[in-house]
PDB file of all heavy atoms in Angstrom:
ATOM      1  N   SER A 242      32.109 175.428  36.360  1.00  0.00           N
ATOM      2  CA  SER A 242      30.818 175.124  35.648  1.00  0.00           C
ATOM      3  C   SER A 242      30.439 173.635  35.805  1.00  0.00           C
ATOM      4  O   SER A 242      31.331 172.755  35.865  1.00  0.00           O
ATOM      5  CB  SER A 242      30.926 175.433  34.181  1.00  0.00           C
ATOM      6  OG  SER A 242      30.967 176.831  34.025  1.00  0.00           O
ATOM      7  N   PHE A 243      29.133 173.436  35.851  1.00  0.00           N
ATOM      8  CA  PHE A 243      28.634 172.072  35.822  1.00  0.00           C
ATOM      9  C   PHE A 243      27.869 171.920  34.518  1.00  0.00           C
ATOM     10  O   PHE A 243      26.957 172.677  34.247  1.00  0.00           O
ATOM     11  CB  PHE A 243      27.732 171.817  36.971  1.00  0.00           C
ATOM     12  CG  PHE A 243      28.427 171.702  38.326  1.00  0.00           C
ATOM     13  CD1 PHE A 243      28.706 172.840  39.059  1.00  0.00           C
ATOM     14  CD2 PHE A 243      28.776 170.435  38.816  1.00  0.00           C
ATOM     15  CE1 PHE A 243      29.410 172.735  40.247  1.00  0.00           C
ATOM     16  CE2 PHE A 243      29.443 170.293  39.995  1.00  0.00           C
ATOM     17  CZ  PHE A 243      29.725 171.435  40.784  1.00  0.00           C
ATOM     18  N   ILE A 244      28.227 170.926  33.712  1.00  0.00           N
ATOM     19  CA  ILE A 244      27.415 170.596  32.508  1.00  0.00           C
ATOM     20  C   ILE A 244      26.523 169.496  32.966  1.00  0.00           C
ATOM     21  O   ILE A 244      26.996 168.356  33.256  1.00  0.00           O
ATOM     22  CB  ILE A 244      28.290 170.144  31.358  1.00  0.00           C
ATOM     23  CG1 ILE A 244      29.464 171.114  31.095  1.00  0.00           C
ATOM     24  CG2 ILE A 244      27.421 169.889  30.112  1.00  0.00           C
ATOM     25  CD1 ILE A 244      29.030 172.472  30.609  1.00  0.00           C
ATOM     26  N   GLY A 245      25.264 169.788  33.083  1.00  0.00           N
ATOM     27  CA  GLY A 245      24.310 168.808  33.615  1.00  0.00           C
ATOM     28  C   GLY A 245      24.012 169.046  35.067  1.00  0.00           C
ATOM     29  O   GLY A 245      24.956 169.273  35.873  1.00  0.00           O
ATOM     30  N   GLY A 246      22.767 169.093  35.419  1.00  0.00           N
ATOM     31  CA  GLY A 246      22.362 169.458  36.787  1.00  0.00           C
ATOM     32  C   GLY A 246      21.718 168.296  37.506  1.00  0.00           C
ATOM     33  O   GLY A 246      20.818 168.535  38.297  1.00  0.00           O
ATOM     34  N   GLY A 247      22.130 167.118  37.239  1.00  0.00           N
ATOM     35  CA  GLY A 247      21.516 165.891  37.866  1.00  0.00           C
ATOM     36  C   GLY A 247      21.996 165.649  39.286  1.00  0.00           C
ATOM     37  O   GLY A 247      22.537 166.536  39.924  1.00  0.00           O
ATOM     38  N   ASN A 248      21.740 164.389  39.735  1.00  0.00           N
ATOM     39  CA  ASN A 248      22.021 163.992  41.073  1.00  0.00           C
ATOM     40  C   ASN A 248      23.439 164.298  41.512  1.00  0.00           C
ATOM     41  O   ASN A 248      23.734 164.869  42.569  1.00  0.00           O
ATOM     42  CB  ASN A 248      21.781 162.497  41.298  1.00  0.00           C
ATOM     43  CG  ASN A 248      20.343 162.293  41.704  1.00  0.00           C
ATOM     44  OD1 ASN A 248      19.754 163.185  42.298  1.00  0.00           O
ATOM     45  ND2 ASN A 248      19.852 161.106  41.406  1.00  0.00           N
ATOM     46  N   MET A 249      24.461 163.792  40.733  1.00  0.00           N
ATOM     47  CA  MET A 249      25.817 163.886  41.128  1.00  0.00           C
ATOM     48  C   MET A 249      26.316 165.345  41.100  1.00  0.00           C
ATOM     49  O   MET A 249      27.040 165.776  41.984  1.00  0.00           O
ATOM     50  CB  MET A 249      26.726 163.006  40.266  1.00  0.00           C
ATOM     51  CG  MET A 249      27.062 161.625  40.759  1.00  0.00           C
ATOM     52  SD  MET A 249      26.424 161.112  42.401  1.00  0.00           S
ATOM     53  CE  MET A 249      27.719 161.618  43.493  1.00  0.00           C
ATOM     54  N   SER A 250      25.855 166.101  40.076  1.00  0.00           N
ATOM     55  CA  SER A 250      26.229 167.480  40.016  1.00  0.00           C
ATOM     56  C   SER A 250      25.672 168.192  41.296  1.00  0.00           C
ATOM     57  O   SER A 250      26.389 169.044  41.901  1.00  0.00           O
ATOM     58  CB  SER A 250      25.615 168.186  38.807  1.00  0.00           C
ATOM     59  OG  SER A 250      26.316 167.809  37.661  1.00  0.00           O
ATOM     60  N   THR A 251      24.462 167.928  41.642  1.00  0.00           N
ATOM     61  CA  THR A 251      23.835 168.547  42.803  1.00  0.00           C
ATOM     62  C   THR A 251      24.669 168.235  44.084  1.00  0.00           C
ATOM     63  O   THR A 251      24.987 169.102  44.896  1.00  0.00           O
ATOM     64  CB  THR A 251      22.421 168.043  43.051  1.00  0.00           C
ATOM     65  OG1 THR A 251      21.698 168.242  41.788  1.00  0.00           O
ATOM     66  CG2 THR A 251      21.684 168.722  44.126  1.00  0.00           C
ATOM     67  N   CYS A 252      25.049 166.988  44.142  1.00  0.00           N
ATOM     68  CA  CYS A 252      25.799 166.529  45.303  1.00  0.00           C
ATOM     69  C   CYS A 252      27.152 167.277  45.434  1.00  0.00           C
ATOM     70  O   CYS A 252      27.500 167.765  46.485  1.00  0.00           O
ATOM     71  CB  CYS A 252      26.004 165.029  45.127  1.00  0.00           C
ATOM     72  SG  CYS A 252      26.952 164.261  46.424  1.00  0.00           S
ATOM     73  N   ILE A 253      27.852 167.364  44.334  1.00  0.00           N
ATOM     74  CA  ILE A 253      29.153 168.075  44.323  1.00  0.00           C
ATOM     75  C   ILE A 253      29.000 169.573  44.538  1.00  0.00           C
ATOM     76  O   ILE A 253      29.700 170.170  45.303  1.00  0.00           O
ATOM     77  CB  ILE A 253      29.951 167.746  43.037  1.00  0.00           C
ATOM     78  CG1 ILE A 253      30.355 166.266  43.036  1.00  0.00           C
ATOM     79  CG2 ILE A 253      31.181 168.625  42.877  1.00  0.00           C
ATOM     80  CD1 ILE A 253      30.887 165.750  41.718  1.00  0.00           C
ATOM     81  N   PHE A 254      28.048 170.090  43.870  1.00  0.00           N
ATOM     82  CA  PHE A 254      27.693 171.534  44.044  1.00  0.00           C
ATOM     83  C   PHE A 254      27.415 171.861  45.528  1.00  0.00           C
ATOM     84  O   PHE A 254      28.004 172.839  46.067  1.00  0.00           O
ATOM     85  CB  PHE A 254      26.499 171.908  43.157  1.00  0.00           C
ATOM     86  CG  PHE A 254      26.025 173.377  43.357  1.00  0.00           C
ATOM     87  CD1 PHE A 254      26.515 174.369  42.567  1.00  0.00           C
ATOM     88  CD2 PHE A 254      25.045 173.648  44.287  1.00  0.00           C
ATOM     89  CE1 PHE A 254      26.077 175.673  42.722  1.00  0.00           C
ATOM     90  CE2 PHE A 254      24.591 174.949  44.491  1.00  0.00           C
ATOM     91  CZ  PHE A 254      25.086 175.951  43.685  1.00  0.00           C
ATOM     92  N   ASP A 255      26.551 171.045  46.111  1.00  0.00           N
ATOM     93  CA  ASP A 255      26.220 171.348  47.538  1.00  0.00           C
ATOM     94  C   ASP A 255      27.449 171.245  48.417  1.00  0.00           C
ATOM     95  O   ASP A 255      27.585 172.035  49.365  1.00  0.00           O
ATOM     96  CB  ASP A 255      25.124 170.307  48.013  1.00  0.00           C
ATOM     97  CG  ASP A 255      23.780 170.614  47.357  1.00  0.00           C
ATOM     98  OD1 ASP A 255      23.609 171.709  46.743  1.00  0.00           O
ATOM     99  OD2 ASP A 255      22.853 169.735  47.433  1.00  0.00           O
ATOM    100  N   GLY A 256      28.351 170.279  48.073  1.00  0.00           N
ATOM    101  CA  GLY A 256      29.544 170.155  48.841  1.00  0.00           C
ATOM    102  C   GLY A 256      30.419 171.429  48.737  1.00  0.00           C
ATOM    103  O   GLY A 256      30.978 171.942  49.731  1.00  0.00           O
ATOM    104  N   ILE A 257      30.559 171.910  47.543  1.00  0.00           N
ATOM    105  CA  ILE A 257      31.360 173.148  47.310  1.00  0.00           C
ATOM    106  C   ILE A 257      30.680 174.295  48.040  1.00  0.00           C
ATOM    107  O   ILE A 257      31.384 175.095  48.702  1.00  0.00           O
ATOM    108  CB  ILE A 257      31.512 173.450  45.783  1.00  0.00           C
ATOM    109  CG1 ILE A 257      32.322 172.332  45.111  1.00  0.00           C
ATOM    110  CG2 ILE A 257      32.248 174.806  45.590  1.00  0.00           C
ATOM    111  CD1 ILE A 257      32.392 172.461  43.622  1.00  0.00           C
ATOM    112  N   ALA A 258      29.382 174.379  47.912  1.00  0.00           N
ATOM    113  CA  ALA A 258      28.629 175.498  48.484  1.00  0.00           C
ATOM    114  C   ALA A 258      28.769 175.582  50.017  1.00  0.00           C
ATOM    115  O   ALA A 258      28.576 176.623  50.651  1.00  0.00           O
ATOM    116  CB  ALA A 258      27.209 175.477  48.084  1.00  0.00           C
ATOM    117  N   LYS A 259      29.081 174.431  50.635  1.00  0.00           N
ATOM    118  CA  LYS A 259      29.283 174.449  52.098  1.00  0.00           C
ATOM    119  C   LYS A 259      30.503 175.270  52.532  1.00  0.00           C
ATOM    120  O   LYS A 259      30.523 175.831  53.612  1.00  0.00           O
ATOM    121  CB  LYS A 259      29.494 173.010  52.642  1.00  0.00           C
ATOM    122  CG  LYS A 259      28.211 172.291  52.949  1.00  0.00           C
ATOM    123  CD  LYS A 259      28.512 170.977  53.633  1.00  0.00           C
ATOM    124  CE  LYS A 259      27.326 170.035  53.472  1.00  0.00           C
ATOM    125  NZ  LYS A 259      27.703 168.644  53.463  1.00  0.00           N
ATOM    126  N   SER A 260      31.524 175.324  51.642  1.00  0.00           N
ATOM    127  CA  SER A 260      32.759 176.019  52.033  1.00  0.00           C
ATOM    128  C   SER A 260      32.990 177.290  51.233  1.00  0.00           C
ATOM    129  O   SER A 260      33.775 178.121  51.591  1.00  0.00           O
ATOM    130  CB  SER A 260      33.963 175.084  51.829  1.00  0.00           C
ATOM    131  OG  SER A 260      33.860 174.026  52.734  1.00  0.00           O
ATOM    132  N   TYR A 261      32.396 177.402  50.032  1.00  0.00           N
ATOM    133  CA  TYR A 261      32.733 178.548  49.176  1.00  0.00           C
ATOM    134  C   TYR A 261      31.498 179.246  48.634  1.00  0.00           C
ATOM    135  O   TYR A 261      30.400 178.657  48.603  1.00  0.00           O
ATOM    136  CB  TYR A 261      33.604 177.985  47.968  1.00  0.00           C
ATOM    137  CG  TYR A 261      34.925 177.483  48.448  1.00  0.00           C
ATOM    138  CD1 TYR A 261      35.163 176.145  48.550  1.00  0.00           C
ATOM    139  CD2 TYR A 261      35.965 178.357  48.700  1.00  0.00           C
ATOM    140  CE1 TYR A 261      36.394 175.637  49.005  1.00  0.00           C
ATOM    141  CE2 TYR A 261      37.185 177.893  49.183  1.00  0.00           C
ATOM    142  CZ  TYR A 261      37.412 176.583  49.302  1.00  0.00           C
ATOM    143  OH  TYR A 261      38.561 176.091  49.741  1.00  0.00           O
ATOM    144  N   SER A 262      31.727 180.473  48.169  1.00  0.00           N
ATOM    145  CA  SER A 262      30.691 181.212  47.548  1.00  0.00           C
ATOM    146  C   SER A 262      30.312 180.532  46.236  1.00  0.00           C
ATOM    147  O   SER A 262      31.121 179.938  45.541  1.00  0.00           O
ATOM    148  CB  SER A 262      31.168 182.636  47.255  1.00  0.00           C
ATOM    149  OG  SER A 262      30.470 183.190  46.226  1.00  0.00           O
ATOM    150  N   THR A 263      29.030 180.633  45.877  1.00  0.00           N
ATOM    151  CA  THR A 263      28.588 180.023  44.593  1.00  0.00           C
ATOM    152  C   THR A 263      28.502 181.117  43.497  1.00  0.00           C
ATOM    153  O   THR A 263      28.008 180.786  42.369  1.00  0.00           O
ATOM    154  CB  THR A 263      27.149 179.450  44.790  1.00  0.00           C
ATOM    155  OG1 THR A 263      26.311 180.514  45.356  1.00  0.00           O
ATOM    156  CG2 THR A 263      27.187 178.232  45.794  1.00  0.00           C
ATOM    157  N   ALA A 264      29.013 182.265  43.762  1.00  0.00           N
ATOM    158  CA  ALA A 264      28.810 183.385  42.830  1.00  0.00           C
ATOM    159  C   ALA A 264      29.489 183.195  41.494  1.00  0.00           C
ATOM    160  O   ALA A 264      29.110 183.742  40.484  1.00  0.00           O
ATOM    161  CB  ALA A 264      29.273 184.735  43.450  1.00  0.00           C
ATOM    162  N   LYS A 265      30.545 182.339  41.482  1.00  0.00           N
ATOM    163  CA  LYS A 265      31.247 182.102  40.203  1.00  0.00           C
ATOM    164  C   LYS A 265      30.961 180.709  39.630  1.00  0.00           C
ATOM    165  O   LYS A 265      31.713 180.193  38.863  1.00  0.00           O
ATOM    166  CB  LYS A 265      32.752 182.293  40.409  1.00  0.00           C
ATOM    167  CG  LYS A 265      33.113 183.744  40.584  1.00  0.00           C
ATOM    168  CD  LYS A 265      34.575 183.990  40.715  1.00  0.00           C
ATOM    169  CE  LYS A 265      34.856 185.439  40.830  1.00  0.00           C
ATOM    170  NZ  LYS A 265      36.241 185.701  41.251  1.00  0.00           N
ATOM    171  N   ILE A 266      29.863 180.151  40.089  1.00  0.00           N
ATOM    172  CA  ILE A 266      29.493 178.838  39.597  1.00  0.00           C
ATOM    173  C   ILE A 266      28.316 178.957  38.575  1.00  0.00           C
ATOM    174  O   ILE A 266      27.362 179.676  38.791  1.00  0.00           O
ATOM    175  CB  ILE A 266      29.048 177.870  40.733  1.00  0.00           C
ATOM    176  CG1 ILE A 266      30.204 177.769  41.702  1.00  0.00           C
ATOM    177  CG2 ILE A 266      28.663 176.482  40.189  1.00  0.00           C
ATOM    178  CD1 ILE A 266      29.941 176.716  42.854  1.00  0.00           C
ATOM    179  N   THR A 267      28.461 178.257  37.461  1.00  0.00           N
ATOM    180  CA  THR A 267      27.398 178.218  36.464  1.00  0.00           C
ATOM    181  C   THR A 267      26.986 176.750  36.267  1.00  0.00           C
ATOM    182  O   THR A 267      27.796 175.856  36.225  1.00  0.00           O
ATOM    183  CB  THR A 267      27.861 178.766  35.092  1.00  0.00           C
ATOM    184  OG1 THR A 267      28.321 180.084  35.316  1.00  0.00           O
ATOM    185  CG2 THR A 267      26.786 178.760  34.059  1.00  0.00           C
ATOM    186  N   VAL A 268      25.669 176.526  36.166  1.00  0.00           N
ATOM    187  CA  VAL A 268      25.194 175.184  35.887  1.00  0.00           C
ATOM    188  C   VAL A 268      24.315 175.216  34.609  1.00  0.00           C
ATOM    189  O   VAL A 268      23.479 176.070  34.473  1.00  0.00           O
ATOM    190  CB  VAL A 268      24.323 174.661  37.083  1.00  0.00           C
ATOM    191  CG1 VAL A 268      23.888 173.211  36.802  1.00  0.00           C
ATOM    192  CG2 VAL A 268      25.099 174.819  38.385  1.00  0.00           C
ATOM    193  N   SER A 269      24.640 174.273  33.720  1.00  0.00           N
ATOM    194  CA  SER A 269      23.790 174.241  32.499  1.00  0.00           C
ATOM    195  C   SER A 269      23.047 172.921  32.411  1.00  0.00           C
ATOM    196  O   SER A 269      23.514 171.897  32.891  1.00  0.00           O
ATOM    197  CB  SER A 269      24.664 174.449  31.237  1.00  0.00           C
ATOM    198  OG  SER A 269      25.507 173.337  31.064  1.00  0.00           O
ATOM    199  N   GLY A 270      21.845 172.956  31.801  1.00  0.00           N
ATOM    200  CA  GLY A 270      21.048 171.762  31.587  1.00  0.00           C
ATOM    201  C   GLY A 270      19.937 172.103  30.606  1.00  0.00           C
ATOM    202  O   GLY A 270      19.621 173.283  30.468  1.00  0.00           O
TER     203      GLY A 270
END
Side-chain angles (χ1 to χ4, degrees):
S242 289
F243 288 85
I244 309 294
N248 269 336
M249 264 359 268
S250 288
T251 306
C252 179
I253 291 171
F254 174 90
D255 289 347
I257 296 172
K259 272 189 202 150
S260 296
Y261 294 100
S262 155
T263 53
K265 288 183 176 167
I266 301 183
T267 303
V268 184
S269 66

